[in-house]
Amino acid sequence: MARKTSAASTDPAPRNDAISALFRAYSSNTSDRLKFIDAFLVFLILSGVIQFAYCVLVTNFPFNAFLAGFSSNVGQFVLTASLRSQVNPENKTEFKEVSPERAFADFVLGSIVLHFFVYNFLG
Amino acid sequence: MPTAYPLPTNVSPATVANTASLLRIVAFGLISAAAIASRLFAVINFESIIHEFDPWFNYRATRVLAAKGFYEFWNWFDPTAWYPLGRVVGGTIYPGLMATSGVIYNFLHYFNLPVDIRNICVLLAPGFSALTAWATYMFTAELKDPSAGLLAAAFIGIVPGYISRSVAGSYDNEAIAIFLLMFTFYCWIKALKLGSAFFGTLAAVFYFYMVAAWGGYAFITNMIPVHALVLLLMGRFSGRLYVAYSSWFRFVGFQPVRTSEHMGALGVFGLLQIVAFASLVRSHVSSKQFQNLLAISVVTMGVLGAGAFVVMTYKGWIAPWTGRFYSLWDTGYAKKYIPIIASVSEHQPTAWPSFFMDLQMLIFLFPAGVVMCFRDLRDEHVFVIIYAVVASYFAGVMVRLMLTLTPVVCVSAAVAFSTLLDTYIDPTEPEATTTEAPTAAPTTTTTTATATPDSKKIKKAVAAAQAGNSASSIASSTFNDIVSATTRKGKSSKSKGIWGADARLAVLLNAIGMLAFFVFHCTWVTSNAYSSPSVVLASTNSDGSQHIIDDYREAYYWLRQNTPQDAVVMSWWDYGYQIAGMADRPTLVDNNTWNNTHIATVGKAMSSPEEIAYPILRKHDVDYVLIIFGGLLGYSGDDINKFLWMVRIAQGVWPDEIQEPNYFTPTGEYRVDDRASDAMKNSLMYKMSYYRFAELYGNQNAVDRVRNQAIPKVGPTLDYLDEAFTSENWIVRIYQVRKEDPLGRDLKSANAFEQGKKKKRSKPVSKRRVIVN
């Protein structure tokens, strides 16, 4: 993703500084569970990028198959990101009525529905 | 605290809660009963049949589904529609409606309740209207409180704007779509409020159902992103918004990714990802400079994304808007380029009286409710405001979209009305202490001033008084705020409110009177305007008894029983579905107007002289031509009145053969009498309509009762067609196309020969000459 380049593209001077500060703050302030979720997110991004590159470079012939694979990546990514923001202790005030367990159950339900549709769409 | 009327004090909170929920259940049962009962006028007055045109196809498809199962239905190729071409039904419809009634059918049969599929189709819309009332209740309860929800449910249960599309027998997609619309919106609001992925998923599932049920799903596809975007711009981004939107959006990703209607959703999705990431980074690093950088990069990426979208549209990677959607923005577009869209009466702009007719007092309360949403601006109120603005615009452009406006009108009118009731039923009186007496005096006068004119206005204009009332309650309170802020410097801000029971009573009686009038209006409109089956025409005799005109079914059943199974019937596209449904014969064109050229072919055949039309008919294997003629009875929706649209549509494809001005008199009038133009008099449609019409009147003048014009004594003759059937009141006329003459003459001269007209001398002369040679 274009996250780091976008943050720094406008002003190259404090780039190293800012990125290392960000990295340090991230690794020290984030709990292991969230890091685990983040690792999964990175994997999803990589998988999506590879599929997209294949589609662009080689062929998009079974277009619905590409769409199914790519959307399952995107969908799973946003579901996991939702889970991440729901279980993040810093966001406790925002999600008053969603406990982490409830968030996980929602995540499971959402993923099952998502994969049902993806599998159907693959056809 | 002083109260305006005594309250019982020895009631436990549990009793109050139980009674309230019991009352709610009872009220809800009554609302459902009223919603269902008010839609049954047509079934009780006439019979349990399908109305209108489109529902006949839905009914036919549902029958296939019920008889053959879902897989057969999904792969159904219908060779009888669009005769030479056929139609792939499974891929060209919204199957949600048929699937729903198929499920209900199987469910009832499982419990040994063998209900005919026709009755399920007829009664589906009233059943779903009760569910709509429930969904509206839930939606409004999220906005304000359950009492406003009950009001909204009661409104939408009987409001004519929704009844018009959901009476018993109107088996159309809208019947279930409004319920799905309201429920999807409810799930979305709930997901946004709680930040729950569960409700987001639920919204997505119901959105999917909606996609399968109605073409208007694009409305949801764009409403939710616009709401999310506005929330973003207002600086109200939160994790809840992210969760709700993302878990909803996953499904839109499967939609056709290349149409412009869906790009808004995609763009907002991308933007939301960026903003979410930015806010995540911001929570880790709190440097001011970094925030600025982020803000700038977010904006540039947004601009870049929009630019990329524009470029992709121009390069043709994304299909531009379809004509139907485009005509919503450029209102003159359809009339200029696609006459077939403009020819449908539902696609015309709405007139003011129809707003009042469909919504009565709600239309006055609607703006007040929107204003109240502004006063208490939570996330879901933003949604209602956007919905109100967008739907009002669309309903102004197209009569048909009044349907999407109705729910939001009910919701916001209920919010306004229940705020009014809350204010005037609330028993607490403001505390008027002696020191604040001077301030209390002006406030009382303002309140009574707002109350007394209302009671006077009752007789004059109840509706206007009501709107003024709720508005004036806001106005008076803000006015009081200003007065107290300026004169007493905020010292006496608590002395607002209503003193005494009389002021309350005056307003409340007024309000109840309004509600009663609303009920009478709705019942009257429903029974008089929206409950006629259109297949059966009803007229009233001079003694008040009802006379039923059943020409349509008479003619369709004649076709069904007296023609071969594979006889192709040509008619204008309006009647395609009915012919297929009731007469069970192949048709050339039908109401699913996917092939404009084919329709133009029929238009050309109808508007050309016989000699030109005949080869067209023969080429398409047409056996029968069916037209609707209302000249004898004064039935105005006949084919002569639709004729100009046929000419226009044909002209769009063959501009050098068919020209609209030819069908007018030199002075530019559209006439059917002696002064009609030659092109008009020679057209197949004119000849078929008025064939033998003059004979009907004997020696008197034949008068067309729709056009109010005298028809020439010597009626048109037909050489290429035979009259096969004319219904009792001459509404439906069916002509049979003659086969080619066995002797190879053209049919015109053959006909002339048979009628004993002498041919010109040329033939014998030539024979003699041959002999001489």
Side-chain angles (χ1 to χ4, degrees):
Chain A
M1 294 294 264
R3 42 208 226 186
K4 264 143 207 174
T5 50
S6 77
S9 57
T10 35
D11 192 0
R15 177 172 52 185
N16 290 329
D17 208 30
I19 288 176
S20 60
L22 175 63
F23 187 75
R24 249 180 290 119
Y26 171 77
S27 50
S28 61
N29 293 347
T30 316
S31 68
D32 283 350
R33 276 187 185 185
L34 291 188
K35 278 182 182 164
F36 178 65
I37 292 179
D38 286 341
F40 184 48
L41 288 178
V42 169
F43 163 74
L44 284 173
I45 290 171
L46 286 179
S47 154
V49 167
I50 291 169
Q51 286 185 40
F52 192 76
Y54 180 86
C55 171
V56 170
L57 295 178
V58 185
T59 172
N60 67 352
F61 159 58
F63 190 62
N64 59 338
F66 162 70
L67 219 55
F70 193 68
S71 345
S72 86
N73 258 315
V74 174
Q76 195 62 54
F77 178 83
V78 294
L79 271 180
T80 318
S82 302
L83 175 71
R84 187 193 188 283
S85 68
Q86 280 173 326
V87 299
N88 196 343
E90 287 170 21
N91 295 343
K92 205 134 209 167
T93 49
E94 261 184 38
F95 303 95
K96 285 188 200 84
E97 294 173 44
V98 184
S99 66
E101 291 79 12
R102 170 69 193 268
F104 186 70
D106 285 354
F107 170 74
V108 169
L109 176 83
S111 304
I112 289 173
V113 174
L114 172 73
H115 282 93
F116 175 76
F117 275 89
V118 165
Y119 197 73
N120 229 337
F121 199 75
L122 214 51
Chain B
M1 191 177 286
T3 53
Y5 49 89
L7 290 175
T9 47
N10 53 353
V11 188
S12 73
T15 322
V16 173
N18 286 344
T19 320
S21 77
L22 176 70
L23 282 178
R24 229 172 281 150
I25 291 169
V26 169
F28 211 80
L30 291 175
I31 287 171
S32 307
I36 293 173
S38 65
R39 283 164 169 82
L40 298 181
F41 281 109
V43 167
I44 292 167
N45 282 347
F46 301 98
E47 59 192 298
S48 161
I49 49 162
I50 308 284
H51 300 181
E52 300 286 342
F53 302 116
D54 282 5
W56 274 101
F57 172 75
N58 299 333
Y59 171 51
R60 189 160 151 251
T62 314
R63 261 192 331 209
V64 171
L65 174 66
K68 293 184 183 162
F70 193 76
Y71 286 104
E72 279 292 311
F73 168 70
W74 190 249
N75 296 322
W76 181 29
F77 177 80
D78 183 6
T80 63
W82 296 88
Y83 165 64
L85 310 170
R87 177 183 177 193
V88 186
V89 177
T92 55
I93 53 163
Y94 296 103
L97 183 71
M98 296 91 187
T100 309
S101 24
V103 166
I104 295 174
Y105 177 78
N106 288 327
F107 177 79
L108 290 179
H109 279 242
Y110 182 77
F111 287 103
N112 292 325
L113 288 165
V115 182
D116 185 22
I117 188 72
R118 176 174 57 93
N119 286 319
I120 292 174
C121 293
V122 166
L123 295 177
L124 188 79
F128 265 85
S129 73
L131 288 177
T132 309
W134 173 72
T136 312
Y137 164 76
M138 302 287 272
F139 183 81
T140 318
E142 287 301 318
L143 278 182
K144 194 165 175 285
D145 49 11
S147 51
L150 276 183
L151 263 179
F155 286 157
I156 206 165
I158 56 171
V159 69
Y162 175 43
I163 285 190
S164 63
R165 295 325 214 81
S166 67
V167 288
S170 103
Y171 180 56
D172 215 341
N173 291 330
E174 288 92 335
I176 64 172
I178 294 300
F179 162 66
L180 296 174
L181 184 86
M182 285 318 279
F183 202 76
T184 311
F185 284 161
Y186 162 70
C187 288
W188 161 247
I189 290 295
K190 193 85 181 162
L192 187 64
K193 260 184 153 179
L194 298 182
S196 136
F198 171 70
F199 276 102
T201 308
L202 209 60
V205 169
F206 273 88
Y207 171 74
F208 176 74
Y209 190 7
M210 174 82 179
V211 170
W214 194 37
Y217 71 86
F219 183 64
I220 301 185
T221 320
N222 290 309
M223 261 311 292
I224 292 181
V226 166
H227 182 212
L229 183 67
V230 169
L231 287 181
L232 267 185
L233 294 180
M234 290 170 77
R236 292 188 175 210
F237 173 79
S238 68
R240 296 193 303 274
L241 176 63
Y242 179 79
V243 170
Y245 189 80
S246 303
S247 52
W248 169 76
F249 178 76
R250 289 170 300 142
F251 286 86
V252 187
F254 290 107
Q255 294 301 314
V257 275
R258 291 190 166 178
T259 53
S260 293
E261 286 102 7
H262 296 90
M263 281 305 133
L266 187 63
V268 172
F269 179 70
L271 196 63
L272 215 53
Q273 299 300 323
I274 298 166
V275 173
F277 183 72
S279 67
L280 181 71
V281 171
R282 190 186 303 172
S283 72
H284 282 290
V285 184
S286 59
S287 124
K288 183 85 181 101
Q289 167 209 23
F290 208 86
Q291 283 181 17
N292 288 342
L293 272 178
L294 277 171
I296 291 167
S297 62
V298 164
V299 169
T300 42
M301 284 187 73
V303 171
L304 277 181
F309 165 64
V310 170
V311 168
M312 277 165 80
T313 312
Y314 273 107
K315 288 234 173 181
W317 292 337
I318 305 171
W321 276 321
T322 51
R324 261 163 228 262
F325 281 102
Y326 193 73
S327 62
L328 285 176
W329 302 110
D330 182 359
T331 44
Y333 178 79
K335 200 153 196 173
K336 253 184 267 168
Y337 300 108
I338 322 172
I340 201 155
I341 292 181
S343 77
V344 180
S345 63
E346 284 172 339
H347 293 172
Q348 307 298 328
T350 319
W352 283 113
S354 75
F355 276 105
F356 182 74
M357 168 135 165
D358 278 357
L359 303 165
Q360 217 243 354
M361 67 157 186
L362 302 184
I363 199 68
F364 300 113
L365 291 175
F366 171 49
V370 175
V371 168
M372 275 167 195
C373 285
F374 266 112
R375 296 178 88 203
D376 175 21
L377 201 60
R378 294 201 304 267
D379 288 353
E380 57 267 30
H381 292 125
V382 177
F383 182 78
V384 171
I385 291 166
I386 298 168
Y387 184 5
V389 171
V390 172
S392 310
Y393 170 73
F394 285 146
V397 172
M398 228 186 236
V399 176
R400 188 184 186 175
L401 294 177
M402 184 71 110
L403 188 68
T404 51
L405 176 68
T406 308
V408 73
V409 168
C410 289
V411 167
S412 72
V415 168
F417 207 89
S418 95
T419 312
L420 178 87
L421 292 183
D422 284 351
T423 317
Y424 282 88
I425 291 181
D426 181 20
T428 49
E429 288 209 323
E431 291 175 49
T433 51
T434 44
T435 50
E436 284 174 325
T439 27
T443 15
T444 353
T445 47
T446 28
T447 355
T448 41
T450 53
T452 35
D454 279 334
S455 55
K456 279 181 198 162
K457 275 183 207 160
I458 287 180
K459 287 161 204 154
K460 283 195 294 181
V462 191
Q466 191 53 58
N469 197 355
S470 57
S472 69
S473 76
I474 301 174
S476 71
S477 65
T478 41
F479 175 70
N480 285 349
D481 284 343
I482 297 168
V483 167
S484 56
T486 47
T487 57
R488 308 291 293 182
K489 297 192 173 71
K491 211 171 160 189
S492 59
S493 58
K494 56 187 151 178
S495 62
K496 282 190 296 184
I498 305 110
W499 273 269
D502 49 349
R504 284 163 216 270
L505 220 56
V507 174
L508 287 180
L509 284 180
N510 192 348
I512 292 167
M514 292 290 317
L515 289 177
F517 274 114
F518 178 67
V519 172
F520 285 126
H521 174 87
C522 291
T523 318
W524 181 82
V525 168
T526 308
S527 66
N528 282 297
Y530 292 139
S531 295
S532 51
S534 86
V535 173
V536 181
L537 308 171
S539 67
T540 323
N541 293 335
S542 50
D543 60 345
S545 64
Q546 205 178 35
H547 178 64
I548 301 277
I549 297 157
D550 203 2
D551 282 33
Y552 278 104
R553 283 192 293 181
E554 187 192 344
Y556 291 143
Y557 288 146
W558 181 87
L559 268 181
R560 192 191 186 96
Q561 286 160 0
N562 298 301
T563 59
Q565 182 82 38
D566 55 352
V568 178
V569 182
M570 182 180 94
S571 71
W572 191 233
W573 59 267
D574 292 14
Y575 317 106
Y577 280 160
Q578 286 192 344
I579 293 172
M582 285 192 259
D584 192 23
R585 289 292 173 269
T587 53
L588 229 55
V589 291
D590 64 28
N591 306 40
N592 165 35
T593 53
W594 61 275
N595 189 335
N596 198 14
T597 317
H598 210 50
I599 293 177
T601 309
V602 174
K604 186 186 173 192
M606 294 286 198
S607 50
S608 312
E610 273 186 285
E611 304 84 56
I612 300 175
Y614 185 69
I616 301 176
L617 299 182
R618 293 298 294 170
K619 257 186 235 163
H620 289 88
D621 293 344
V622 175
D623 296 304
Y624 292 92
V625 183
L626 178 147
I627 59 154
I628 307 294
F629 173 64
L632 184 65
L633 216 62
Y635 172 60
S636 60
D638 67 351
D639 277 347
I640 294 284
N641 278 358
K642 290 173 187 168
F643 187 50
L644 279 182
W645 286 109
M646 303 183 198
V647 174
R648 272 171 214 157
I649 290 168
Q651 186 182 9
V653 179
W654 293 280
D656 38 344
E657 290 177 60
I658 308 279
Q659 276 110 24
E660 192 182 338
N662 292 347
Y663 295 85
F664 293 110
T665 58
T667 50
E669 286 170 287
Y670 180 61
R671 301 196 70 94
V672 293
D673 56 5
D674 290 328
R675 293 194 280 143
S677 67
D678 281 343
M680 183 73 195
K681 275 184 174 167
N682 289 328
S683 69
L684 193 66
M685 176 55 77
Y686 182 89
K687 285 186 166 182
M688 286 194 296
S689 293
Y690 294 108
Y691 184 63
R692 297 201 303 115
F693 184 62
E695 295 169 25
L696 200 65
Y697 287 81
N699 285 325
Q700 291 167 329
N701 265 344
V703 177
D704 182 321
R705 285 176 58 187
V706 176
R707 265 68 55 176
N708 277 325
Q709 292 168 16
I711 304 301
K713 274 250 167 60
V714 182
T717 53
L718 283 168
D719 293 320
Y720 295 84
L721 300 170
D722 283 325
E723 184 180 6
F725 179 81
T726 295
S727 65
E728 187 190 350
N729 299 296
W730 285 50
I731 288 187
V732 186
R733 310 196 69 181
I734 301 172
Y735 291 86
Q736 187 167 21
V737 180
R738 281 193 189 169
K739 299 278 175 270
E740 267 102 6
D741 187 60
L743 299 178
R745 300 166 293 184
D746 73 300
L747 285 167
K748 192 167 188 170
S749 48
N751 207 26
F753 179 75
E754 242 152 66
Q755 285 174 349
K757 283 185 189 149
K758 282 275 163 65
K759 294 223 62 166
K760 283 179 256 164
R761 294 276 169 198
S762 60
K763 236 177 191 174
V765 168
S766 68
K767 260 182 193 165
R768 208 179 294 150
R769 206 177 283 161
V770 168
I771 293 169
V772 167
N773 281 345

